[in-house]
């Protein structure tokens, strides 16, 4: 990519961002848009404009984001959101402190050498190079003493990363401990998940077996158990009832509206009973929905009893009457045979994946093996489309692949636009297709909670980042552009990599700029959710519940957001010394990302679960993995440059592994399990154990008349426990 295309891309992206920020400022001040721009405080019953004016200042949101404390973030969106902001600020700190030394030191060193100029003069097949490539390491001649500066730069980035990651891990560990020792009782702190319950004797129910076992093992602290049941059929009936209730409310609202706009007696809405309401006999919607609800409620009550008594699975949630006892039980081996009575901390009620709880150990292991095989195959075969994407990095390759397009792409205006945006947009689209697929695979493993599934999906996505984006675009792009030369002269491969690999940084410069300017501009302005909300409100929504569903923002979306950020971490770290100019772009990405994300967690997103920062060890490990990839890359690149002191860089790789082991031993165990000193801290009040127990009852098993959870308990057990709480 030449300098003109890069400037065009950057300038256009910046202008788009400014326009989107101005739109955000204007649209967010309109009262009718409050539910789109301030759903978080409104969902908590707060006035989003309390104690502040509806200012038209386009940078007012920046000041508010800076002023808000970490406690404000936790109060609004929980510890997970605060930890995500720590992740962004951690990477920002690494890039800022690295750039302070690398930019003034390495840019002049690279820019004043002439390796690219000499290579262009000595090789008839070598292409032209851009001004941006002159500021990269590829412009430094082989065996040059200037390479010392780049070697020291690798050490500097590594040391900065070690230091900042340690401080961040310690901070997040304290945040998690504070949350887990909160004086407010939380249901998940008093429960453990038990899987692989042994088969029961013929004269004993599964519920009685669980009760008797844990009453014997934990006689003073065991409170009650809840056996997991097969919810497939009862949940289907429950969802049908909820669907008919929504249709009924909608039809009643339409009928009431018709009385004010048409005849006084109104027009009763009708519907067809066939497929998707398009075929079948026409019926009165209100009467039909009422009849179906009554019919399904009877089916639901009957199915609930069958489910509770006859569809019990070999897994259970076991409750204890104090927090420390539950934490201790979750960390204890309960059986001599480790494939039975397997225990772990219970997921938060909102995060439970009920169908996965009863999955047996051997089935989880088989599924995990299948899933990781599929992930491996997908990583390998995904390299093919990524390689094609890399072919579009330069229009010269496009002309070679499709000669009939030559006249079109040679037009100056079209060439500039295509070269500036085409490869980046295509890559972003391809990457956007992956997270949903990886989330599906992760849940298929038998993972018990949404938060764990998100972490697993994000980890899988990291494999794609390394093999398909970093290696695929960087190496395949270089090889594709000179494939003929490599076939004819295989010995030129090393020279080709040494002179061409750093040039791919211009692709990533534009990619990062497009991500933070356009991506964060759209995130802040919320144009798409705004348009969708108003269309739904005008044409589809008739009830308050439908309006609320139309503006409900969902959560922060860690499954897609964190892997996307990890891609930028990997790219920027790996090119930080090869092409230092990428560091400011990475710093802008994470700095602007921190501001936008903080604004969104305070005003927009509503968390769907809380894992108290359990994502952090994943983030920490992946940043370290990106650092190790960067160190290995630099070792190879120094060898390609024939720098005799390149072996000194080998020392960094074992240091990084040792550092990873030290941080894991120092911090990780307190994330994997709750420390007893944390769980033993006093509560503000005696917990209501009935409410804690009821929090885990699935909605499809609750009845309209359920005023006492004893009904649920008695339906499930032949000999229930009535142990008092304290």
């Amino acid at each position: 990519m030449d300098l003109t295309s890069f400037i065009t891309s950057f300038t256009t992206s910046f202008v788009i961002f400014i326009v989107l920020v101005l739109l955000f400022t204007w649209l967010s001040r309109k009262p009718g848009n409050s539910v789109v721009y301030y759903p978080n405080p409104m969902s908590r019953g707060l006035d989003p404009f309390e104690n502040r004016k509806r200012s038209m200042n386009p940078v007012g949101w920046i000041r508010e984001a800076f002023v808000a404390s970490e406690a404000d973030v936790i109060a609004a969106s929980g510890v997970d959101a605060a930890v995500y902001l720590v992740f962004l600020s951690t990477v920002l700190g690494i890039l800022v402190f690295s750039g302070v030394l690398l930019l003034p030191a390495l840019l002049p060193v690279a820019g004043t050498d002439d390796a690219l100029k000499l290579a262009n003069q000595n090789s008839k097949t070598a292409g032209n190079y851009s001004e941006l490539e002159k500021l990269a390491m590829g412009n430094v001649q082989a065996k040059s003493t200037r390479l010392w500066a780049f070697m020291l730069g690798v050490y500097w980035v590594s040391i900065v990363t070690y230091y900042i990651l340690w401080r961040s891990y310690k901070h997040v560990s304290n945040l998690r401990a504070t949350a887990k020792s909160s004086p407010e009782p939380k249901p998940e702190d008093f429960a453990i998940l038990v899987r692989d319950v042994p088969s029961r004797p013929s004269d004993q129910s599964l519920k009685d077996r669980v009760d008797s076992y844990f009453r014997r093992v934990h006689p003073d602290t065991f409170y009650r158990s809840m056996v997991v049941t097969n919810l497939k059929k009862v949940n289907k009936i429950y969802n049908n009832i909820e669907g008919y209730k929504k249709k009924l409310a909608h039809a009643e609202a339409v009928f009431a509206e018709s009385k004010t706009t048409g005849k006084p007696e109104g027009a009763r809405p009708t519907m067809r009973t066939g497929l998707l309401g398009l075929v079948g006999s026409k019926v009165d919607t209100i009467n039909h929905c009422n009849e179906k609800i009554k019919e399904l409620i009877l089916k639901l009550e009957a199915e609930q009893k069958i489910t509770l008594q006859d569809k019990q699975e070999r897994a259970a949630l076991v409750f204890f009457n104090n927090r420390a006892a539950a934490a201790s039980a979750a960390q204890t081996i309960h059986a001599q045979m480790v494939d039975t009575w397997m225990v772990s901390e219970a997921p938060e009620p909102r995060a439970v994946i009920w169908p996965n709880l009863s999955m047996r150990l051997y089935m989880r292991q088989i599924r995990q093996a299948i899933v990781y095989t599929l992930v491996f195959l997908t990583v390998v075969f995904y390299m093919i489309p990524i390689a094609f994407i890399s072919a579009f990095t330069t229009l010269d390759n496009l002309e070679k692949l499709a000669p009939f397009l030559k006249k079109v792409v040679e037009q100056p205006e079209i060439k500039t636009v295509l070269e500036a945006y085409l490869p980046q947009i295509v890559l972003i689209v391809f990457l956007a297709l992956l997270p949903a697929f990886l989330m599906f695979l992760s849940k298929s493993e038998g993972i018990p909670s949404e938060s764990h599934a998100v972490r697993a999906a994000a980890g899988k996505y990291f494999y794609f980042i390394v093999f398909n984006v970093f290696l695929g675009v960087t190496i395949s792009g270089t090889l594709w552009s000179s494939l003929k030369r490599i076939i004819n002269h295989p010995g030129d491969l090393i020279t080709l990599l040494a002179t061409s690999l750093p040039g791919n940084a211009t692709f990533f410069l534009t990619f990062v700029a497009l991500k933070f300017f356009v991506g964060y501009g759209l995130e802040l302005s919320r144009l798409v959710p705004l348009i969708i909300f108003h269309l739904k409100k005008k044409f589809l929504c008739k009830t308050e519940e439908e309006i609320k569903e139309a503006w409900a923002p969902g959560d922060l979306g860690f499954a897609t957001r964190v892997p996307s950020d990890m891609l930028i971490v990997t790219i920027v770290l790996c090119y930080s010394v090869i092409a230092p100019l990428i560091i400011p772009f990475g710093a802008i990405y994470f700095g602007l990302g921190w501001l936008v994300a903080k604004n969104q967690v305070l005003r927009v997103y509503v968390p769907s679960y809380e894992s108290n920062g359990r994502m952090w060890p994943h983030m920490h490990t992946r940043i370290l993995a990106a650092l190790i990839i960067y160190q290995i890359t630099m070792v190879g690149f120094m060898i390609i440059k024939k720098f005799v002191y390149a072996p000194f860089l080998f020392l960094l790789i074992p240091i990084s592994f040792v550092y990873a082991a030290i941080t894991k031993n120092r911090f990780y165990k307190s994330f994997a399990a709750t420390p007893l000193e944390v769980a033993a801290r006093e509560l503000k009040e005696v917990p209501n154990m009935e409410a804690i127990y009821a929090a885990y009852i699935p909605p499809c098993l609750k009845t309209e008349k359920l005023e006492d959870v004893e009904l649920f308990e008695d339906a499930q057990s032949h000999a229930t426990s009535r142990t008092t709480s304290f």
Side-chain angles (χ1 to χ4, degrees), residues 25-85:
T25 306
W26 175 55
L27 293 171
S28 64
R29 275 13 181 206
K30 292 184 172 295
N33 296 335
S34 296
V35 292
V36 176
Y37 293 99
Y38 304 96
N40 181 291
M42 294 182 71
S43 67
R44 292 182 286 134
L46 303 176
D47 180 2
F49 296 103
E50 185 178 2
N51 299 325
R52 59 192 179 103
K53 299 179 180 178
R54 295 175 183 265
S55 171
M56 293 300 291
N57 184 356
V59 296
W61 65 277
I62 297 178
R63 180 184 61 82
E64 293 175 6
F66 269 115
V67 170
S69 65
E70 192 168 60
D72 295 330
V73 172
I74 294 174
S77 291
V79 179
D80 288 336
V83 168
Y84 176 68
L85 294 178

Side-chain angles (χ1 to χ4, degrees), residues 246 249-251 253-254 257 532-552:
K246 291 178 181 179
H250 182 90
V254 171
E257 183 181 349
I532 292 174
F533 166 71
H534 282 293
L535 288 175
K536 285 184 175 181
K537 184 179 179 182
K538 183 174 180 62
F539 298 107
L540 300 177
C541 298
K542 297 297 181 181
T543 66
E544 289 298 323
E545 187 64 27
E546 289 176 337
I547 293 175
K548 185 176 180 179
E549 288 182 359
W551 61 256

Side-chain angles (χ1 to χ4, degrees), residues 556-678:
L556 200 59
F558 294 107
T560 56
R561 191 178 293 265
V562 173
S564 179
D565 293 334
M566 285 297 177
L567 168 60
I568 306 301
V569 173
T570 306
I571 290 170
V572 176
L573 277 181
C574 287
Y575 280 91
S576 60
V577 170
I578 292 177
L581 198 60
I582 203 172
I583 294 177
F585 290 87
I588 294 173
Y589 176 90
F590 287 100
L592 190 58
W594 181 86
L595 283 172
V596 173
K598 194 170 185 181
N599 177 82
Q600 302 302 80
V601 299
L602 289 169
R603 297 179 174 181
V604 179
Y605 295 112
V606 178
S608 59
Y609 63 83
E610 175 62 72
S611 69
N612 296 305
R614 189 64 179 81
M615 175 68 88
W616 174 257
H618 163 88
M619 297 171 173
H620 170 87
T621 302
R622 268 55 186 190
I623 293 174
L624 272 182
L627 180 70
I628 293 171
I629 293 169
Y630 154 66
Q631 292 166 346
I632 293 173
T633 301
M634 291 309 303
V635 168
F637 199 77
M638 285 291 185
I639 292 174
I640 290 173
K641 282 291 188 180
K642 301 177 182 178
F643 189 50
V644 295
Y645 299 102
F648 282 110
L649 283 179
F650 277 110
L651 184 62
L652 283 174
I653 299 172
I655 289 175
S656 294
F657 280 104
V658 171
Y659 176 84
I662 292 173
T663 53
K664 182 176 181 179
N665 291 333
R666 174 68 173 80
F667 297 109
Y668 179 72
K669 290 181 180 179
S670 65
F671 283 79
T674 303
L676 293 183
E677 69 170 359
V678 171

